[in-house]
Amino acid sequence: MSIWIIMIIIMVLSFIVQQMLQSRFNKYSKVGLPNGMSGAEVAMKMLHDHGIYDVKVVPTRGMLTDHFNPQTKTVALSEGVYASRSVAAAVAAHECGHAVQHALGYAPLKMRSALVPVVNFASNIVQWVLLAGVLLINVFPGLLWIGIILFATTTLFSFVTLPVEINASSRAIGWLTQTGITDSQTRPMAIDALKWAAYTYVIAALGSLATLLYYIGLARRD
């Protein structure tokens, strides 16, 4: 199968997953949690239940912009999660799952954190190096390979991210179930929302791999 066909398929899948994720988020944002806790309250309770008291829960602008920052020790929750008292609060538990990983020294998270400076550097220049490598492939073929190596670090980062995200979701679901924050009606919704969120990382990793293989094929044809 042509690499172009694979990339088009991945682009279509990425669009579908994004639409499904937003659809699920909008739907479950209208279903309240049994105990009426907000996303911020859910996050604080999960942190404290795991003995974590040095991580702050703060609001951040945007939709689905939730994240955990180990440098500042903050769990940032988007506007639709921070104050929400709905199943959308499962996202807050997911982000706290990353805080738990950090506290426990979870190996894949440590590896991803170690890659961040390298990936940030590579991301800033990789497009220009690849472009120059393609344009100068007959004059300086080694430049394209330099771009490929830089891009490979971002692909590696995407795949290292997968177990980190899946594990965070597993921790979130396990805790939400044990504490009774979700019940038999809302638990499947929380699992479904986190499942679609995980799919976005899978598609991103596959897309990065397909792009990497494309440039490798281009360099080897020279």
Side-chain angles (χ1 to χ4, degrees):
M1 183 182 294
S2 169
I3 190 68
W4 283 108
I5 296 177
I6 294 175
M7 292 179 72
I8 290 172
I9 292 174
I10 291 174
M11 289 176 62
V12 172
L13 288 176
S14 178
F15 175 79
I16 292 173
V17 168
Q18 287 291 342
Q19 293 301 308
M20 291 296 292
L21 175 60
Q22 291 188 13
S23 173
R24 291 295 196 277
F25 186 82
N26 291 334
K27 177 181 178 181
Y28 299 148
S29 293
K30 300 174 183 177
V31 180
L33 288 174
N35 59 10
M37 293 177 71
S38 68
E41 291 169 342
V42 168
M44 290 302 299
K45 179 171 174 53
M46 182 170 177
L47 291 172
H48 292 171
D49 282 357
H50 287 84
I52 301 173
Y53 294 92
D54 59 346
V55 173
K56 296 181 179 180
V57 179
V58 299
T60 186
R61 293 182 178 180
M63 179 179 180
L64 298 177
T65 52
D66 313 82
H67 62 278
F68 167 65
N69 188 326
Q71 279 71 44
T72 60
K73 289 194 173 182
T74 55
V75 170
L77 301 179
S78 61
E79 297 168 344
V81 173
Y82 186 86
S84 174
R85 299 182 183 278
S86 69
V87 176
V91 175
H94 170 88
E95 297 306 330
C96 289
H98 290 311
V100 175
Q101 291 173 339
H102 184 259
L104 296 176
Y106 182 60
L109 179 64
K110 292 174 67 175
M111 182 177 180
R112 187 176 75 168
S113 297
L115 285 172
V116 168
V118 178
V119 171
N120 286 341
F121 170 77
S123 298
N124 288 331
I125 65 171
V126 66
Q127 291 183 338
W128 299 107
V129 176
L130 287 172
L131 177 60
V134 172
L135 295 175
L136 301 174
I137 192 168
N138 295 320
V139 179
F140 185 16
L143 184 60
L144 181 55
W145 282 107
I146 293 174
I148 289 171
I149 293 172
L150 290 172
F151 192 84
T153 63
T154 64
T155 301
L156 175 61
F157 184 82
S158 295
F159 277 92
V160 171
T161 294
L162 292 180
V164 174
E165 297 298 332
I166 292 171
N167 179 265
S169 289
S170 296
R171 293 176 188 274
I173 293 300
W175 178 80
L176 288 169
T177 301
Q178 292 171 5
T179 56
I181 290 178
T182 55
D183 56 16
S184 58
Q185 177 186 2
T186 55
R187 191 174 305 120
M189 298 179 188
I191 294 173
D192 189 45
L194 294 178
K195 175 188 71 177
W196 283 101
Y199 286 161
T200 63
Y201 293 99
V202 174
I203 294 298
L206 292 177
S208 183
L209 178 60
T211 304
L212 178 64
L213 293 176
Y214 165 75
Y215 281 113
I216 291 175
L218 192 64
R220 294 184 65 181
R221 283 200 299 268
D222 178 52

